[in-house]
Amino acid sequence: MTHTNTSAAGDHSPDFAPVLAAANRIILGKAQEIRLAVACLLAGGHLLIEDLPGLGKTTLAHTLAALFGLNFSRIQFTADLLPADITGVSIYDRAQSTFRFVPGPVFAQLVLADEINRATPKTQSALLEAMEEGQVTSEGETRRLPRPFFVIATQNPAHQIGTFPLPESQLDRFLMRIELGYPGRDAERELLRSGGRRQAAESLAPLLVAAQLPALQEAVAAVHAADPLIDYVQALVEASRQNPAFRHGLSPRAGLALLAAARAWAWLAGRDMVLPDDVQAVFPAVARHRLLAAHGDGMAAAGDIGALLAGVAIP
């Protein structure tokens, strides 16, 4: 596959149209959400998918792992899950008269943290070092995780019984948060006729190999962001800090995440420079889970995010 962009940013870039098309054949009627998820992985970030059970969150994770050719591991988060169940544990080897570390399921290229908010905060925190540093420290020894390494976490709405809200420090580790929502009428009819898409997702043939991803991520990072574009990103970040709808504003790390996501969105469009439209396309997915509503509990309302975007002039 060859990319239509011949600039430096696109030299190592395969055409992602087949990847997106294959994903859209599995997750029906959610082209925008799929594109955001792919952009998140190309930007080297972790993805949080929040929605009601049964809307395709897990199937999307399976689909991305298969298409990207990534080694896949699934962790079902429950209230009795322990940190060692994620990171691994040392067991005594009688034959060698020594302890041997048995890696946990976090040692995979793509880890699906399914229903992450059903585990206790102590267990949730076992992913913090892995997501931020790409390593796990267990029993005084630090072990590197595979490269590339992604976490796709699914989360049920906080009002559901038996959920523990993710702390702000962990939410900030996710580059993007998306919702799938109910399928459209035609998409749901096709699902009913076909019996679902989970089996099809698990049998997908890879269209990429994991070894390609570092070069792809370098190409994405090389997409040019001109000074006026950076001014726009900075204006959005500053506006969030002055907006009374939010308890606090976006951090500098959030600004970096916004720019990285916008680069990936531009790259998927075949361009070697970021436009304000790219920033606007990814802004809700990057910003909303990082902004708390000033009144009440939980993250900012979608309408307040839209108002913030509308209130900042485009350069």
Side-chain angles (χ1 to χ4, degrees):
M1 293 187 291
T2 58
H3 196 272
T4 56
N5 188 336
T6 58
S7 67
D11 287 345
H12 304 289
S13 308
D15 180 4
F16 259 68
V19 176
L20 295 171
N24 278 297
R25 287 193 295 270
I26 302 298
I27 309 296
L28 302 177
K30 300 296 176 183
Q32 177 82 354
E33 291 79 5
I34 289 170
R35 197 176 188 90
L36 284 169
V38 169
C40 183
L41 299 190
L42 288 174
H46 307 293
L47 177 66
L48 178 64
I49 311 174
E50 182 175 357
D51 226 318
L52 295 167
L55 294 181
K57 302 185 298 295
T58 302
T59 302
L60 176 57
H62 277 287
T63 298
L64 293 175
L67 293 176
F68 277 72
L70 298 172
N71 177 270
F72 179 80
S73 177
R74 178 178 180 269
I75 308 172
Q76 180 61 56
F77 279 66
T78 58
D80 59 352
L81 191 73
L82 300 175
D85 296 328
I86 298 173
T87 59
V89 66
S90 292
I91 62 173
Y92 186 70
D93 187 334
R94 291 186 178 183
Q96 301 294 327
S97 298
T98 186
F99 283 92
R100 174 172 57 88
F101 180 74
V102 179
V106 75
F107 285 85
Q109 291 172 329
L110 193 151
V111 177
L112 170 60
D114 214 358
E115 297 186 308
I116 188 174
N117 60 336
R118 290 203 179 277
T120 62
K122 181 178 181 180
T123 301
Q124 292 174 7
S125 68
L127 280 177
L128 279 174
E129 181 185 14
M131 294 172 67
E132 186 67 17
E133 306 294 339
Q135 64 187 28
V136 165
T137 301
S138 177
E139 299 174 1
E141 186 173 346
T142 298
R143 298 172 174 86
R144 298 297 300 179
L145 292 168
R147 290 286 189 272
F149 175 73
F150 302 110
V151 172
I152 296 181
T154 71
Q155 177 171 263
N156 296 320
H159 66 266
Q160 291 206 331
I161 296 173
T163 58
F164 299 86
L166 295 181
E168 294 173 36
S169 59
Q170 185 146 353
L171 284 172
D172 195 47
R173 263 65 176 187
F174 291 101
L175 180 68
M176 290 189 191
R177 171 199 169 276
I178 64 173
E179 300 174 3
L180 292 180
Y182 293 115
R185 183 177 178 82
D186 291 343
E188 187 163 22
R189 183 173 180 83
E190 180 58 30
L191 285 172
L192 293 171
R193 292 177 61 186
S194 65
R197 286 294 195 268
R198 176 70 65 84
Q199 187 173 355
E202 293 175 353
S203 61
L204 277 173
L207 296 181
L208 300 167
V209 294
Q212 290 178 271
L213 278 172
L216 297 179
Q217 291 170 343
E218 288 178 9
V220 166
V223 173
H224 179 64
D227 285 343
L229 190 284
I230 293 177
D231 290 342
Y232 182 50
V233 169
Q234 191 168 12
L236 287 169
V237 170
E238 290 174 348
S240 73
R241 297 169 185 169
Q242 301 164 4
N243 195 313
F246 311 128
R247 198 174 303 174
H248 53 71
L250 294 171
S251 68
R253 179 159 56 183
L256 291 170
L258 178 58
L259 195 54
R263 283 189 165 107
W265 193 265
W267 185 88
L268 281 172
R271 284 185 276 99
D272 61 356
M273 66 177 298
V274 185
L275 302 179
D277 287 351
D278 303 317
V279 176
Q280 292 184 331
V282 301
F283 184 78
V286 173
R288 191 179 173 199
H289 64 288
R290 292 179 163 92
L291 294 172
L292 296 177
H295 305 290
D297 297 325
M299 63 184 176
D304 290 331
I305 299 296
L308 172 61
L309 271 175
V312 176
I314 297 175

